[in-house]
Amino acid sequence: QSALTQPPSASGSPGQSVTISCTGTSSDVGGYIYVSWYQQHPGKAPKLMIYEVSKRPSGVPDRFSGSKSGNTASLTVSGLQAEDEADYYCSSYAGSNNFVVFGGGTKLTVL
Amino acid sequence: EVQLVETGGGLIQPGGSLRLSCAASGFTVSSNYMSWVRQAPGKGLEWVSVIYSGGSTYYADSVRGRFTISRDNSKNTLYLQMNSLRAEDTAVYYCARDRDGYNLMDVWGKGTTVTVSS
């Protein structure tokens, strides 16, 4: 059982928007700004998409955005494209004992 | 080009030991926070260990006391020494650069597969 809770699946049609939630506790998501989202295509390494809740690394399209409210973080993908179909993992810094915790992952399907 | 390449995976019997290596290019391992993250077959990501630029190390509860993270500055390489391996350690092991030590893993290797089985 993962420390952070994500829905196992999400879907949307090309051009639509989809939001993936990530629920933790006050010891991780709710307690720090250090929430990240990673994209993983089958057989590939994860790729950083969002860090510090809402910041995008260079090269990540602005169609990807992040937010947080209380113990729940969210990733929104706007203007869905076929190449967005992948697994998405949220993660959070959780202090010096647990360091980093991940969600179980959400499989995003572009219909 | 900034790159990480993991090696050292393989098939190992329960109770055995294995050392994974992660060679970096394009940046200096010792100046960065470096992590190991694993992914069991068909499962999600699990953080394993981190070494800070200052040398401090941290481990997940599931591996503490069995795994040791280290680095060789002269070889610009990160290591993960894995002892007393269990079936549940079977996974793809990724090394990653963590830019700030707080879960900002911006460079990942392609991973190396460890299978623990008799």
Side-chain angles (χ1 to χ4, degrees):
Chain A
Q1 186 174 354
S2 300
L4 306 180
T5 301
Q6 298 180 236
S9 63
S11 63
S13 299
Q16 288 186 333
S17 293
V18 64
T19 296
I20 299 170
S21 64
C22 169
T23 301
T25 69
S26 58
S27 296
D28 38 65
V29 174
Y32 303 96
I33 65 168
Y34 305 112
V35 175
S36 297
W37 289 88
Y38 297 91
Q39 177 193 65
Q40 187 180 36
H41 287 106
K44 301 295 185 181
K47 175 186 176 182
L48 179 67
M49 303 301 284
I50 296 287
Y51 66 98
E52 290 181 12
V53 176
S54 61
K55 297 179 180 179
R56 280 188 311 276
S58 175
V60 172
D62 59 6
R63 302 184 294 102
F64 291 85
S65 62
S67 63
K68 189 184 81 165
S69 177
N71 296 336
T72 298
S74 298
L75 172 72
T76 297
V77 186
S78 304
L80 273 174
Q81 299 183 3
E83 59 261 37
D84 299 333
E85 186 163 294
D87 293 326
Y88 291 84
Y89 293 90
C90 66
S91 68
S92 174
Y93 179 71
S96 58
N97 284 334
N98 296 316
F99 195 75
V100 171
V101 290
F102 283 95
T106 298
K107 181 176 180 59
L108 175 59
T109 301
V110 181
L111 302 171
Chain B
E1 180 188 7
V2 174
Q3 192 175 2
L4 293 168
V5 179
E6 303 96 333
T7 56
L11 174 62
I12 188 75
Q13 291 189 339
S17 298
L18 208 57
R19 188 179 81 160
L20 306 182
S21 300
C22 170
S25 55
F27 72 97
T28 302
V29 165
S30 62
S31 299
N32 286 271
Y33 305 97
M34 299 294 299
S35 282
W36 286 97
V37 175
R38 68 184 181 183
Q39 186 170 33
K43 302 297 184 181
L45 301 171
E46 179 188 17
W47 173 78
V48 173
S49 181
V50 64
I51 183 166
Y52 280 11
S53 54
S56 298
T57 58
Y58 300 89
Y59 300 92
D61 288 344
S62 57
V63 306
R64 188 175 295 116
R66 300 187 299 123
F67 290 11
T68 302
I69 190 171
S70 64
R71 66 191 181 208
D72 185 328
N73 297 342
S74 66
K75 295 182 178 180
N76 205 30
T77 298
L78 177 73
Y79 299 102
L80 186 68
Q81 177 67 44
M82 305 185 296
N83 299 329
S84 303
L85 282 162
R86 307 166 179 168
E88 54 264 37
D89 296 319
T90 294
V92 175
Y93 284 74
Y94 297 100
C95 63
R97 181 179 74 177
D98 189 327
R99 289 308 300 271
D100 63 3
Y102 292 104
N103 183 29
L104 203 170
M105 290 177 267
D106 66 336
V107 180
W108 294 69
K110 293 184 177 181
T112 187
T113 301
V114 173
T115 303
V116 185
S117 175
S118 55

